[in-house]
Amino acid sequence: MTRWKIVAGAAAVLLFIAGCSAFALVWRPTIAAVASPSPASFQPDLIRRGRELAAIGNCNTCHTAREGRDFAGGLPVSTPFGTIFSTNISPDPDSGIGGWSEAAFRRAMRAGVDRDGHHLYPTFPYDHFTSISDEDDHALYAFLMTREPARAPARANELSFPYDQRWLIAGWKLLFFRPGTYRPEPGKSVEWNHGAYLVEGLAHCGACHTPRNALGAERTGASFSGGEVDNWQAYAINTRSPAPVHWDREALISYLRQGWHADHGTARGPMAEVVRNLSSVPASDVADIATYMADVFGPSPAGQKEPPAIQSFAGPPGDPGAAIYAAACASCHESARPLPYGGVDLARSTAISASDPRNLANIVMSGVQPVAGESSPIMPGFGDSMDDGQIVALLTYLRARFGKGPAWTHVEDIVKQARQTQTAYLQPSLGPQNARADAAQRDKP
């Protein structure tokens, strides 16, 4: 009897220790609310730098719902576990972050915990934001606290059990989250390190361009090897890139700054929002990002920049895809006129050489809108004038004629999915000049 009492007592002690450990893992204290700081308390230069950093972080895209007010949240983010709605980060004191102290803001950025002590879902990429410096967090706080307050209560997430249990995020963090600010790489240039700091941190490029595991964490061993977002393929942006023409620093600067490049085509889908924001930040920031990413892409294979020769392929007699291409595409894409006056050389198209036709289907359906204030590429969308069968035939022909790799499979299913989501990114892009003017107007305290 005494022996069983000892065993029971030991088990009780172990359970108590386990319970305390679990509580310590999950619990975070509330940080007291503060009065919203006066916009006049922040210097204009600090606000301006905060705006630039927010643009690099693409904050407005995720925290502004379509037809919604700036930074008021409510944008649905689809995940394998359900839909999560972005939060209000305007300085509204009740539904936004107007009552957050700078310490509360920094904890959310560094540790993924809100002012009330709740663990944040990692759709808010604090696994990247944790590396941001104190100075940059301070500038971001100043910028957000000088925006127009927008009352917009948070929408309830639509997650299945057990993913709707927020306390489980503490366990996810234990497995996958490694907090800590960026440490410069010895032996690398100042520009390279600043680019790495931005790419790996605030710009969180890997959040889209890195595949994820079954629990939604980035597979760190496959960094920048490609991912997916909103029915678009986020291409590999490392040595596994499917681009027929190698990405170098100059091409990256042009593409990230203007949204297009003659050797690589035009940014579409979620990437169009990224370059829209990057068009308004200092050129030096974009150049540093390009310096780092050019190193990630690695050297050009055998020093070759031109795409490999494409064997002429007209298709079998009566091929409907060839006929559609001749009628709808060839007059621009075979005009030999340079961008933006002619179509991109399709032998250089990453969309055609990619592992699946999602991006090409989206582009064919929705087209390419011009960038305001820029001599940029333009292409009509064919979603209304072609049915799914015609688009399948065209994509199949383009892959065989201009692509590399085997024929795509499940093209019909991919086209059907693209049809359902083709209206998601139809709004025109905001050009660099307009973006800067708009930003300057909004930076007034």
Side-chain angles (χ1 to χ4, degrees):
M1 191 70 161
T2 303
R3 177 177 150 193
W4 287 110
K5 286 183 178 179
I6 293 173
V7 171
V13 170
L14 290 174
L15 286 173
F16 177 76
I17 293 173
C20 291
S21 298
F23 179 77
L25 177 66
V26 173
W27 181 80
R28 295 293 183 273
T30 297
I31 296 178
V34 299
S36 298
S38 168
S41 64
F42 300 106
Q43 294 297 316
D45 285 349
L46 183 67
I47 298 170
R48 183 177 65 253
R49 184 53 183 165
R51 177 194 61 75
E52 294 165 354
L53 293 167
I56 292 171
N58 219 32
C59 304
N60 59 330
T61 299
C62 287
H63 288 278
T64 303
R66 300 193 184 283
E67 309 302 327
R69 297 181 64 183
D70 288 349
F71 302 108
L75 184 76
V77 180
S78 178
T79 77
F81 318 107
T83 300
I84 295 175
F85 294 91
S86 64
T87 55
N88 184 344
I89 58 170
S90 80
D92 179 70
D94 298 318
S95 60
I97 61 171
W100 287 35
S101 65
E102 191 166 345
F105 177 78
R106 185 175 290 114
R107 183 173 73 171
M109 297 287 285
R110 296 277 178 85
V113 178
D114 71 8
R115 189 187 67 79
D116 293 323
H118 300 135
H119 291 278
L120 298 172
Y121 285 102
T123 45
F124 177 66
Y126 49 82
D127 51 337
H128 291 271
F129 294 165
T130 185
S131 66
I132 299 174
S133 68
D134 288 347
E135 295 80 8
D136 285 350
D137 270 336
H138 181 53
L140 282 165
Y141 181 77
F143 171 72
L144 291 173
M145 287 300 174
T146 53
R147 301 307 91 199
E148 185 70 26
R151 180 165 180 77
R155 293 185 60 178
N157 296 321
E158 299 170 357
L159 298 170
S160 57
F161 182 83
Y163 306 110
D164 58 346
Q165 304 300 302
R166 194 176 285 269
W167 61 270
L168 289 175
I169 302 171
W172 185 94
K173 290 179 177 178
L174 186 64
L175 292 172
F176 305 115
F177 179 50
R178 300 294 177 265
T181 55
Y182 177 78
R183 295 182 179 179
E185 185 74 24
K188 295 293 187 179
S189 68
V190 172
E191 294 78 12
W192 187 97
N193 271 296
H194 186 233
Y197 165 75
L198 293 175
V199 168
E200 303 286 356
L202 190 58
H204 61 285
C205 303
C208 289
H209 289 278
T210 297
R212 295 179 179 270
N213 63 23
L215 293 178
E218 292 176 32
R219 291 166 46 198
T220 53
S223 183
F224 301 122
S225 292
E228 57 182 70
V229 56
D230 294 343
N231 199 44
W232 288 80
Q233 187 179 22
Y235 300 127
I237 51 174
N238 55 17
T239 56
R240 298 180 181 180
S241 169
V245 179
H246 183 72
W247 283 96
D248 59 22
R249 180 177 179 273
E250 288 68 32
L252 285 163
I253 290 173
S254 174
Y255 184 85
L256 294 174
R257 191 74 176 161
Q258 301 180 80
W260 64 278
H261 185 271
D263 286 340
H264 296 282
T266 305
R268 295 292 294 124
M271 194 63 199
E273 299 290 347
V274 173
V275 299
R276 173 186 184 271
N277 280 318
L278 290 180
S279 72
S280 67
V281 308
S284 59
D285 285 333
V286 176
D288 291 348
I289 289 172
T291 296
Y292 174 68
M293 286 310 305
D295 195 33
V296 172
F297 274 103
S300 176
Q304 182 71 29
K305 183 177 180 180
E306 291 299 314
I310 303 296
Q311 184 176 1
S312 178
F313 177 80
D319 181 353
I324 294 168
Y325 171 78
C329 314
S331 61
C332 281
H333 288 284
E334 296 189 8
S335 68
R337 294 191 301 268
L339 290 175
Y341 306 105
V344 66
D345 178 356
L346 294 180
R348 301 170 184 266
S349 170
T350 304
I352 293 177
S353 293
S355 59
D356 72 53
R358 268 178 299 173
N359 292 11
L360 185 59
N362 289 331
I363 293 168
V364 168
M365 285 190 180
S366 61
V368 176
Q369 283 71 48
V371 176
E374 289 280 309
S375 295
S376 63
I378 183 171
M379 172 182 151
F382 296 97
D384 293 334
S385 57
M386 292 186 191
D387 61 29
D388 287 2
Q390 291 171 316
I391 293 177
V392 168
L394 176 60
L395 301 189
T396 302
Y397 172 78
L398 292 175
R399 174 69 166 184
R401 170 84 183 274
F402 299 103
K404 60 180 181 179
W408 286 319
T409 59
H410 307 294
V411 180
E412 294 84 356
D413 294 337
I414 290 173
V415 168
K416 185 180 296 184
Q417 180 66 27
R419 176 76 69 183
Q420 295 171 354
T421 59
Q422 67 171 309
T423 59
Y425 291 94
L426 290 181
Q427 75 274 17
S429 297
L430 184 63
Q433 294 177 351
N434 290 341
R436 294 189 185 101
D438 178 60
Q441 179 64 29
R442 289 185 287 112
D443 282 349
K444 294 179 180 178

